[in-house]
Structures are given as structure tokens and as C-alpha cells.
Amino acid sequence: MALKITGKAEGQLQLHLITKQKQFAVPDVPVLDPGECEHEGAERHLKERDVSFEDTVELEYVERYPAPEPQDCLLHDDWVSAVEARDNWILTGCYDNTLNLWTTKGKHKLTIPGHIAPVKGVTWISLDEEKGVFASASQDQTVMLWEWNVAANSVECVQVCKGHERGVDCIAANGSKTKMATGSWDTMLKIWSTDVRSGGGDSEPSTSKRQKLDQGSARTPLMTLAGHRECISGVQWIDDNTLVTSSWDHTIKIWDLALNGIKSEISGNKSFFDLSYSKLNGLIITASPDKNLRLYDPKSNQGTLVKNTYLGHTQWVQSVRWSTTNEYLFVSGAYDNHVKLWDYRSPKAPIFELIGHEDKVLACDWSNPRFILSGGSDNSVRVFKSKIAIGGEK
């Protein structure tokens, strides 16, 4: 639909009304003649955004998203610094050196000791009715690969991955779940195999189990990639051969494993505390200590790579995650105790605030489209049920 609006002194504006939701589409024909409609509010709005009345402005209609509903509060014994869902299960990492397994209905299944320092990252490798495999990254400089017998509800550590020289801050598995990548305070990016077949040993994830693995079965990295100058704070796989990392050194780097090095680099003017890459839209969202989130298009070759800056948090933004089913939506968690849900097309304010944490938010996750999860220094994981349809899915 082409809708024409006139301003008192400016001339004529044509609005092109579009929508990707076919049930709300309207015919693409003019509905008002020039001069028939005057709208001072529209005129003022366009002046503020430096839009000429001789331009054609495209407006997209989208349905209002329903608000996520608070569902559960999962209490831990210390700060929760990592969380990731897979199907009906939630895996968390804690500052008391443990991992915990929960159901998405809030039932606690297991506390898993083994690390000797806070767990800063967790990632699922595989999960079926009989067995689950997941990995954890810790400030104790190791990555541990775990195998979970679902029926017996028992876990064993099948590999300790050693090679980092300082604490490991982030971890992610690739799409085929054959490799995992870790970033550390030693500034190194390391790639590891997720194969558990060479593991084995005791059935309890105990300190003695860890000592046994340290002595004889420690796994070494497949690849070590140097390039960052400070802590690597976030890592994501773009595809099975390409990764993207964020760092306190003010850069985002895209790595090509076939080249064994850096493919491209994005420089910012602030440290990056986290990043999330969306396979649906190819965009990167970042979290920084200046309270802002930024949207980057790594494919852009025109103008600035920063496509939007999102204002709304009042303290450091610590964590960010894209929706896996809606190309427009992402969540963020910050030291202001808030989790916010954003539409990347609306940078001035979030579409919803998810209230509940009583202290800093350290981690958030939206791996399961039905649940938005967040962990914080109030020793809790908050579970919000998402009712958002998959309308933005490509």
C-alpha cells in the first residue's frame, strides 16, 4: 500500500506499507491523493530523523510479541556463571566449582563436582534418551568432557582437556558436535575433539577421578590459534570451519580453521564481554562495559560495520544471546540485575524487561526456543517461558 501524507511546508511523503506476515498484507496501491492528509506529528518525526518529504519511506508491520512469563527459580549454592539448555534439560556452571543438571520444569537432577575453580562455560555436545555428553570450562585452566547415563542419573568425566595457561572463560561446540572451541585469559583460542571414545574410568566425577585423568588421559588441543592480546570473552561457530571470537582487547576476530588463522577483524573502542552470532541473519551482537549492545554485520563493506547500538542497560552488559528461531530477537543480561529482550530493528528500548534477579546477571541462554534462561550472582537461574512464535524464522 502506498499512503501519501503532506506536510504544511515540506511537500509530499509517500509511505510504502509492507509486511512479511501474509495474513496482514494490503494491496500495493495508492489510497490517498496528494494534499488530502496533513499530519504534523509525522512531519516532526521525519524532521528529527532527517528524512525528506520527497523520499519514499518503507514501513514494515509486525505483530506485537507476547511477554515471556516467569516460570522457575533454580537455586544454587554460589554464583551461576554459565547456563545452556538442550531439549528438556538445563546445564549450569557455578562459582562453587560444580555443574548442575536440571529439568526445564525446575527439578534438580545432579550436582557434579570435579573442577577445582569456578566453572565459566558449559556446552552440550549430544543428548538422547540414554546418554548425554557435555563439556565445561573452568578458571582451573581445564576443560572437562562429561558423559551422563540418563537412566542411572550418573555422570563420569571421560576427558580432562589441558593446554590453556590461564583460566578458560568461554566454550562452544560446532554444529556437527565434532569439535569444541575455548577462549582463555591466556589470549589463546584452542580447538578440541569432542570424541569420548578414548575416555573411561571411574563412575564418579570425583577429585580422585580427575587426578587419574590428569596423570594419564589428559587430552591436548587439535589446534591453538594466537591473535588476541587480552582475554577471549566469547566464542561462537559460524560453520564447522569458521569461528568468531570477542575479546577484552576491543576486537572481534573471525577465524578460518583451514587457513589456521584470522580471516577478518572488527575493531571497536570498548572491551567486548560477550558476543552472539545468528545463523538466521548472519549478524553479530556484542556486550560491553559501556552499558551498550552493538550490532555488527561482518559481511558489510559499506560504511561502519556497527549497524545499531542498543541503549537500555544501566551497568556493564555481561551476556547476550540470539534467538535460534527468530531472526530479529535477542536477549541480554547485565550487572543492573536485568535481562532484556530486544528486537534488533528497535535500538532505543527493549521490547520486554525480564525481572527477577536480585543481583548481577552473569549469563543468559536461549538455546531452547521455549525458554529464556539467565544465571546470576544471586545464586539463581531464572527460567522464563517464551510464547514468541517462530514468525521470523528463515
Side-chain angles (χ1 to χ4, degrees), residues 220-259:
T220 55
L222 299 172
M223 190 180 298
T224 297
L225 301 168
H228 281 296
R229 300 182 305 277
E230 294 187 45
C231 172
I232 297 177
S233 56
V235 59
Q236 298 261 288
W237 291 81
I238 293 176
D239 56 45
D240 275 2
N241 207 48
T242 313
L243 301 98
V244 58
T245 56
S246 61
S247 172
W248 285 46
D249 67 9
H250 300 191
T251 68
I252 299 166
K253 298 185 190 296
I254 297 177
W255 307 78
D256 188 326
L257 299 189
L259 299 176

Side-chain angles (χ1 to χ4, degrees), residues 256-302:
D256 188 326
L257 299 189
L259 299 176
N260 198 22
I262 298 168
K263 182 178 180 180
S264 61
E265 179 178 306
I266 299 170
S267 295
N269 58 8
K270 299 290 180 182
S271 293
F272 295 111
F273 283 173
D274 195 17
L275 91 164
S276 185
Y277 171 81
S278 172
K279 295 183 183 295
L280 298 178
N281 57 37
L283 301 175
I284 297 168
I285 195 78
T286 63
S288 289
D290 65 354
K291 311 171 189 177
N292 296 332
L293 298 120
R294 291 178 177 84
L295 182 73
Y296 292 88
D297 183 356
K299 303 180 298 296
S300 176
N301 55 11
Q302 295 182 345

Side-chain angles (χ1 to χ4, degrees), residues 146-220:
W146 306 85
E147 197 168 64
W148 173 37
N149 183 320
V150 177
N153 195 32
S154 63
V155 158
E156 63 173 313
C157 175
V158 293
Q159 286 292 329
V160 174
C161 304
K162 300 182 71 177
H164 282 295
E165 296 180 0
R166 295 186 66 187
V168 188
D169 207 57
C170 55
I171 185 170
N174 65 356
S176 64
K177 305 300 183 181
T178 56
K179 297 183 182 70
M180 55 187 176
T182 55
S184 167
W185 283 88
D186 66 9
T187 75
M188 297 298 171
L189 172 66
K190 291 183 183 287
I191 312 300
W192 314 79
S193 170
T194 60
D195 184 9
V196 299
R197 288 176 294 179
S198 60
D202 304 332
S203 59
E204 295 297 327
S206 62
T207 302
S208 61
K209 165 73 173 180
R210 180 196 167 90
Q211 290 170 345
K212 180 178 179 180
L213 287 168
D214 280 350
Q215 292 167 2
S217 304
R219 176 166 291 177
T220 55

Side-chain angles (χ1 to χ4, degrees), residues 38 71 115 130 137 226 301:
E38 289 192 2
Q71 178 165 301
H115 283 291
E130 298 180 354
N301 55 11

